[in-house]
Amino acid sequence: LARVMYLKNPLIQRGVSVKQLYVWGQGWTVKAANDEVQQVIDDFLYDPKNDDVVGSHEARMNLEVALQVDGNVFFCFFVNRANGRVRVRTIPFNEVDEVICNPDDAKESWFYKRIWTEQRFDPANGSIATVSQIAYYPDWRYTPVSQMPVSINGNQVHWDKPVYHVKVGGFSNW
């Protein structure tokens, strides 16, 4: 409903645009005190593979709209174990079906259950097949010391792709 209202109502579009311009209108600068740390930050932000998600001004403006309209952004980090480089992507809000939390602390997220439809292209005949997928992604802060399940209910847990969840516009226990 929020997406439809954003697309159809010019007053809502304007409100989102004003906040978007307020937050990112003059750009931003990240400056570390240490040159080596600065190099790591620059390598991450200005990596061409991250540019369309977080590196460019346009990407950050688009993320602000998504955050205001959906109230949530799910960043997924893909770490190259060989060189330590990190590629960041977002998981669409409508693909996150459930947030699994610590049973003793509902504010401590453990996993994000993702359900999506994958399109697979067959170059031999030019056809595209759709396949439903389910997977679990750990919260970036969740590092269990004992049990790290490979799967949950037969669905893969992607320990190598942690998720950082940003949410706005709700109560802390939502």
Side-chain angles (χ1 to χ4, degrees):
L1 184 57
R3 288 178 179 183
V4 170
M5 294 306 293
Y6 170 74
L7 293 172
K8 295 284 187 180
N9 189 318
L11 292 176
I12 292 174
Q13 282 182 14
R14 184 66 178 157
V16 171
S17 294
V18 166
K19 183 163 184 200
Q20 173 195 41
L21 292 168
Y22 179 78
V23 171
W24 297 109
Q26 292 184 343
W28 72 316
T29 302
V30 178
K31 182 67 179 152
N34 181 295
D35 289 339
E36 289 178 20
V37 173
Q38 185 66 45
Q39 188 61 50
V40 171
I41 292 169
D42 290 344
D43 288 347
F44 172 76
L45 287 176
Y46 305 115
D47 182 328
K49 295 188 185 248
N50 291 335
D51 195 53
D52 60 343
V53 178
V54 294
S56 72
H57 181 72
E58 181 182 2
R60 291 187 294 273
M61 297 283 275
N62 289 337
L63 283 171
E64 185 64 31
V65 171
L67 187 60
Q68 293 309 307
V69 174
D70 290 336
N72 296 272
V73 174
F74 297 89
F75 293 99
C76 188
F77 300 98
F78 298 81
V79 180
N80 182 328
R81 300 284 181 212
N83 62 17
R85 308 261 311 171
V86 177
R87 182 176 187 186
V88 65
R89 290 290 177 260
T90 56
I91 297 174
F93 171 68
N94 58 323
E95 292 182 0
V96 177
D97 185 64
E98 189 175 359
V99 179
I100 294 90
C101 298
N102 179 344
D104 297 324
D105 182 1
K107 293 185 184 214
E108 181 184 342
S109 301
W110 282 0
F111 297 103
Y112 301 92
K113 180 181 179 184
R114 179 182 177 208
I115 300 176
W116 76 103
T117 303
E118 183 176 284
Q119 292 188 339
R120 296 184 183 165
F121 176 68
D122 183 354
N125 61 19
S127 67
I128 297 175
T130 57
V131 180
S132 293
Q133 299 284 336
I134 299 174
Y136 291 84
Y137 298 80
D139 186 272
W140 70 283
R141 295 164 294 197
Y142 180 53
T143 54
V145 290
S146 58
Q147 295 182 1
M148 291 180 68
V150 176
S151 65
I152 297 174
N153 196 26
N155 300 301
Q156 183 177 5
V157 176
H158 293 282
W159 288 102
D160 59 335
K161 299 174 183 121
V163 168
Y164 174 60
H165 177 203
V166 179
K167 69 176 183 170
V168 297
F171 297 107
S172 65
N173 63 342
W174 283 10

